[in-house]
Amino acid sequence: MRRYFLWFVSFVILLIPALAFIFYAFLFSPQSPEKLVQIQIQSGTGLNKVASELQATGVIRSALALKLLARWNQQSGKIQAGNYQFKNPASPREILDRLIQGDVEKVSLTIPEGFTLQQIIARMAEKGFGKQEKLSKLVYDTNFIQSLGINAESLEGYLFPETYLFAEGIDEKALLKMMVTQFRSYVDSELMRDAEKLGLTLHQWLTLASIIEKETGIVEEMPLISSVFHNRLKRNIPLQTDPTVIYGIKDFDGNITRKHLQTPTPYNTYLNRGLPPGPIASPGLAALQAAVHPAETNFLYFVARGDGGHTFSKTLKEHNIAVREYLKQRRRK
């Protein structure tokens, strides 16, 4: 009897390391799938189904091991939905961490500086990030806009131009909220204080920045463009900027005419003094900075040179000369 007991004890002693090795292999030893594996986890999918699919596709050795690990850590119900890719060697612990953290494959959306709200909506719908009809309603939904802490009639100008990375399947509200949050991250307290020193509210600052963005794509020129508008505002001179007129024209065909300049709209800055009612596009950071940090000049006018830049003038006489030079260059081309 003693011999059997000693044999049993010896067996148990030998078994413990073996079990420990197996436990380590199942829970901590990396497993590499034979090829790239893509798994889409729908919202509400249970741990059992996820673990079984991961085992069937070769991502993990044992579904049971993953389930035990998740339950031991009280993480069974914390798996995030999304589209996952598995291609590199990883242990069940690492796989579980990815599932809990929502380390899903990201898709990207690029919004260029100067895009209008309608252009942004069209870009989002074209790339498959929401339905155009729903987006068009949301960006003018006062309840939704107010929930984002914005006091405006639309989200025009408040959707920051940027390249966004996010999980595939994100809904329209979440994506718009992300873009507004990005805008607020750039509109820091120091810049806001600078705007207030100039007597500008957030909405007015954003409106001016959007006009600057539409007038020039040259970052170095933006403070000069800003100085012209600030000088005109101080002297109560109409801004007389074409981009605002264009924004106020329904179905603009790309050719601004004298009739357009003489047509009354809230955005016609040839007929109305001061800033228009709101932004006309989404300005980038450089335009936002230029709007509150104008160059110190006496310029009141500017005209395109034909090479992307502008000629700036202090007097109407100088401006007329610059305009004639610009027209000569156009005729030569």
Side-chain angles (χ1 to χ4, degrees):
M1 190 72 183
R2 183 177 177 181
R3 192 187 341 170
Y4 287 116
F5 177 74
L6 291 175
W7 180 86
F8 176 75
V9 171
S10 300
F11 175 76
V12 170
I13 291 173
L14 292 173
L15 183 63
I16 290 174
L19 291 174
F21 176 79
I22 294 171
F23 180 79
Y24 176 85
F26 274 113
L27 294 185
F28 301 104
S29 178
Q31 164 81 353
S32 181
E34 295 181 0
K35 59 181 181 178
L36 174 67
V37 174
Q38 289 186 313
I39 295 177
Q40 187 168 25
I41 299 176
Q42 303 291 341
S43 180
T45 303
L47 175 62
N48 289 342
K49 184 176 181 180
V50 173
S52 297
E53 188 169 0
L54 289 172
Q55 178 180 315
T57 52
V59 176
I60 57 175
R61 290 187 179 89
S62 168
L64 176 60
L66 185 72
K67 289 187 284 185
L68 289 174
L69 186 62
R71 284 165 184 157
W72 177 264
N73 290 284
Q74 298 182 335
Q75 295 175 319
S76 300
K78 296 181 180 180
I79 292 175
Q80 303 293 313
N83 186 35
Y84 292 83
Q85 285 190 1
F86 302 96
K87 55 184 177 181
N88 298 320
S91 68
R93 172 74 269 175
E94 292 169 328
I95 296 296
L96 183 60
D97 286 343
R98 286 191 59 190
L99 297 173
I100 299 302
Q101 293 167 9
D103 182 20
V104 298
E105 288 302 303
K106 300 292 195 298
V107 292
S108 66
L109 171 67
T110 299
I111 304 299
E113 290 91 345
F115 257 35
T116 65
L117 191 55
Q118 294 305 316
Q119 288 174 314
I120 292 174
I121 290 171
R123 170 68 63 90
M124 292 168 70
E126 175 193 353
K127 299 297 182 180
F129 303 126
K131 301 294 184 181
Q132 188 155 354
E133 183 179 353
K134 184 174 181 180
L135 287 166
S136 296
K137 289 180 179 178
L138 280 173
V139 297
Y140 292 100
D141 185 328
T142 54
N143 290 329
F144 176 61
I145 294 170
Q146 288 175 5
S147 74
L148 299 175
I150 295 172
N151 184 23
E153 294 181 358
S154 77
L155 290 181
E156 184 73 83
Y158 290 90
L159 303 179
F160 193 77
E162 181 71 275
T163 295
Y164 294 90
L165 293 174
F166 46 87
E168 192 171 6
I170 187 172
D171 67 25
E172 292 91 344
K173 281 189 175 182
L175 185 49
L176 291 172
K177 184 177 180 179
M178 179 190 297
M179 297 168 78
V180 172
T181 300
Q182 188 77 335
F183 163 75
R184 291 204 177 280
S185 73
Y186 284 104
V187 183
D188 57 33
S189 56
E190 184 177 350
L191 284 176
M192 190 66 240
R193 283 195 297 269
D194 292 337
E196 290 170 352
K197 288 177 184 177
L198 294 171
L200 297 173
T201 65
L202 173 61
H203 195 67
Q204 290 170 331
W205 168 22
L206 188 53
T207 300
L208 179 55
S210 72
I211 300 172
I212 295 169
E213 184 70 68
K214 296 297 283 186
E215 282 287 6
T216 183
I218 302 175
V219 171
E220 293 77 15
E221 271 196 352
M222 288 183 176
L224 292 172
I225 298 285
S226 179
S227 73
V228 171
F229 292 139
H230 277 285
N231 290 339
R232 283 179 164 258
L233 289 169
K234 288 175 185 175
R235 301 187 187 192
N236 201 29
I237 301 173
L239 297 183
Q240 296 183 320
T241 170
D242 291 356
T244 62
V245 177
I246 292 169
Y247 184 84
I249 299 170
K250 189 177 180 180
D251 301 323
F252 180 66
D253 63 5
N255 181 34
I256 191 166
T257 65
R258 186 180 296 276
K259 182 180 179 181
H260 289 142
L261 301 181
Q262 296 172 346
T263 301
T265 76
Y267 289 88
N268 190 328
T269 52
Y270 283 82
L271 302 178
N272 306 319
R273 300 178 190 274
L275 290 167
I280 61 171
S282 285
L285 180 59
L288 285 165
Q289 291 173 331
V292 293
H293 297 148
E296 293 185 10
T297 76
N298 293 319
F299 295 140
L300 290 172
Y301 306 91
F302 62 86
V303 65
R305 291 197 306 260
D307 61 356
H310 294 81
T311 299
F312 295 84
S313 304
K314 299 176 184 177
T315 66
L316 182 58
K317 183 178 179 180
E318 292 174 353
H319 177 62
N320 287 335
I321 293 172
V323 171
R324 286 196 294 270
E325 183 60 31
Y326 168 66
L327 293 174
K328 283 180 185 178
Q329 290 183 10
R330 282 190 60 182
R331 283 194 289 268
R332 289 192 196 112
K333 294 179 181 179

